[in-house]
Amino acid sequence: VVTDPRNTLGAGLGNGLWAAGRVLAGYLALRPSICRAKRVVELGAGVGVVGLTAAALGAEDVVLTDMEHQVPLLRCNQNRSDYKQVLSVHRLDWRSAEDRKAVAALAKPSYDLVVASDVGYDEDLLEPLVETIAALSTQETTILIAIADRALQEEMEPGVEDFIRAASPYFVCKEVAAHQLEPHQSISKVLKLT
């Protein structure tokens, strides 16, 4: 996976490989049947590590999404992947109903798996994120979200409880895994939404 710490292909927080992405990719790798022969969408993909993992585990179709400025880095990782035939890259601003509709139309009839990692860092984006998840899923869709629980260490950033509160009008959230990769890092929690 190509990262872009100098912002030559993209700009912003999505240019690095964050802990929650590694945790969710590891969670899927231990449970390949979650991905095998599935239609997958990754929200806020950044470098695309979770979606690339789903492709490697046998997903039928993987849509990597992020903001417009992140698309070049995602395309770079798509083109370098051994699984590029099942990967596509699309712009998705969670605040845009038009973007949500365009990405929803890519799955026929719907996505089997919605994944996202390290997407809970901005309180103003929690509601649009949850609305996007709702727009791209059905009752049959498996939804897995990995969030670094930074609220325990950084009072200014939202944590897992803030995401659960934002999601509660639409989903029930259950923690299915938690892992701390390094002693100085936050604990990354994997939530299953139903």
Side-chain angles (χ1 to χ4, degrees):
V1 174
V2 173
T3 61
D4 186 21
R6 295 196 174 143
N7 294 326
T8 57
L9 292 173
L13 298 173
N15 291 343
L17 180 55
W18 295 88
R22 292 171 52 202
V23 168
L24 184 52
Y27 180 86
L28 294 175
L30 293 172
R31 298 158 184 83
S33 63
I34 293 174
C35 301
R36 194 172 301 119
K38 301 293 195 293
R39 292 175 308 274
V40 181
V41 62
E42 182 180 5
L43 307 178
V47 298
V49 71
V50 177
L52 292 165
T53 299
L57 294 171
E60 174 183 304
D61 183 43
V62 179
V63 179
L64 305 172
T65 68
D66 212 316
M67 299 290 287
E68 184 69 42
H69 64 266
Q70 203 62 36
V71 167
L73 181 56
L74 282 171
R75 285 214 171 99
C76 177
N77 282 323
Q78 172 192 18
N79 291 332
R80 288 173 170 255
S81 171
D82 292 338
Y83 308 97
K84 61 181 149 212
Q85 70 278 7
V86 301
L87 296 166
S88 62
V89 174
H90 296 274
R91 178 191 78 226
L92 176 56
D93 181 339
W94 305 330
R95 298 165 294 189
S96 168
E98 186 177 302
D99 282 6
R100 286 194 298 264
K101 189 175 182 179
V103 171
L106 297 171
K108 304 284 189 259
S110 63
Y111 292 104
D112 301 303
L113 176 62
V114 174
V115 292
S117 64
D118 272 311
V119 291
Y121 57 86
D122 185 339
E123 192 151 3
D124 293 337
L125 293 176
L126 292 179
E127 186 176 334
L129 169 61
V130 171
E131 290 171 353
T132 299
I133 295 168
L136 298 179
S137 62
T138 66
Q139 288 186 342
E140 289 77 37
T141 304
T142 300
I143 305 165
L144 296 170
I145 310 296
I147 298 177
D149 207 359
R150 294 182 185 97
L152 301 175
Q153 297 168 327
E154 303 172 26
E155 293 179 25
M156 299 305 293
E157 288 195 26
V160 171
E161 290 305 316
D162 298 298
F163 176 82
I164 291 171
R165 195 169 20 264
S168 66
Y170 299 89
F171 302 103
V172 173
C173 300
K174 178 183 177 187
E175 183 181 316
V176 293
H179 190 67
Q180 185 176 20
L181 295 178
E182 301 287 339
H184 65 280
Q185 289 181 336
S186 304
I187 297 171
S188 294
K189 297 182 178 181
V190 179
L191 304 175
K192 183 173 184 177
L193 282 59
T194 53

